């Protein structure tokens, strides 16, 4: 049996993810949350509570992002990774369009970062496209930006700098 000489990724998307990992290494501190697009926020909160024991620890309307959203945690413990439920405020919002084309389901993966602007600059320097020229307001006063899915292996990646 021959031993492989290298475990270097051979697929173009794998190379993109490897470059992204190198660029994010000094900045990413945790997986912050996974975002799930839903049509009815209240029904989804009840379903996640009744079926998985997750509790809504934060609910808000974010007009700028066009969503009503909830952060859910096991046993209400806000220190770990959350599930974020996102319901559209209007059919033409980003989440409304997502639901229209793809239906309900996983919409994003969010990394918690120490500095969203520095992380964005490092990613841009590495050739990745971000959706906003500057960070925008996210959940609970956080600052966010997004890496284009075509530059992140087909995944919409959110960068989250929590509010201080």
């Amino acid at each position: 049996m021959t031993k492989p000489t290298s475990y270097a990724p051979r697929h173009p998307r794998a190379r993109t993810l490897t470059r992204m990992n190198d660029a994010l290494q000094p900045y990413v501190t945790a997986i912050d949350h996974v975002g799930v697009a839903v049509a009815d926020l209240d029904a989804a909160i009840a379903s996640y509570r009744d079926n998985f024991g997750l509790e809504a620890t934060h609910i808000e309307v974010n007009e700028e992002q066009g969503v009503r959203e909830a952060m859910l945690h096991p046993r209400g413990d806000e220190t770990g990774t959350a599930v974020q439920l996102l319901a559209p405020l209007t059919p033409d919002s980003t989440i409304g369009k997502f639901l229209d084309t793809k239906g309900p389901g996983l919409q994003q993966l969010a990394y918690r970062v120490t500095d969203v602007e520095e992380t964005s600059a490092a990613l841009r320097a590495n050739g990745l496209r971000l959706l906003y020229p500057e960070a925008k307001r996210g959940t609970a006063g956080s600052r966010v930006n997004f890496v284009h899915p075509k530059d992140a292996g087909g995944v919409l990646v959110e960068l989250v700098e929590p509010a201080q």
Side-chain angles (χ1 to χ4, degrees):
M1 176 185 254
T2 60
K3 182 179 172 185
T5 57
S6 171
Y7 289 100
R10 294 192 182 3
H11 190 277
R13 282 189 177 163
R15 282 193 298 278
T16 297
L17 291 174
T18 299
R19 284 195 327 265
M20 207 171 123
N21 181 42
D22 292 343
L24 289 174
Q25 185 127 19
Y27 307 110
V28 172
T29 61
I31 295 175
D32 191 79
H33 64 269
V34 292
V36 178
V38 300
D40 182 328
L41 186 64
D42 296 324
I45 290 170
S47 177
Y48 275 74
R49 180 194 62 233
D50 297 346
N51 293 307
F52 304 111
L54 300 180
E55 297 176 23
T57 55
H58 181 84
I59 300 172
E60 74 174 82
V61 172
N62 186 327
E63 296 282 345
E64 184 178 11
Q65 299 290 329
V67 294
R68 184 167 171 246
E69 60 184 288
M71 298 300 264
L72 284 67
H73 291 88
R75 299 170 307 284
D77 178 5
E78 295 183 50
T79 60
T81 303
V83 172
Q84 179 186 43
L85 301 177
L86 301 152
L89 292 178
T90 63
D92 65 336
S93 68
T94 301
I95 295 299
K97 291 175 186 174
F98 182 94
L99 288 168
D100 189 47
T101 59
K102 297 181 180 167
L106 188 62
Q107 188 263 340
Q108 56 164 285
L109 171 63
Y111 295 120
R112 189 174 310 138
V113 298
T114 55
D115 186 310
V116 71
E117 294 299 349
E118 283 186 23
T119 305
S120 297
L123 292 171
R124 283 189 189 99
N126 209 20
L128 278 69
R129 292 170 287 177
L130 280 87
L131 299 188
Y132 307 133
E134 294 179 356
K136 292 192 175 198
R137 182 193 172 284
T139 305
S142 64
R143 297 177 63 231
V144 302
N145 206 336
F146 294 86
V147 178
H148 195 288
K150 289 183 180 177
D151 293 344
V155 176
L156 178 64
V157 171
E158 182 178 7
L159 308 171
V160 179
E161 179 184 335
Q164 298 300 338

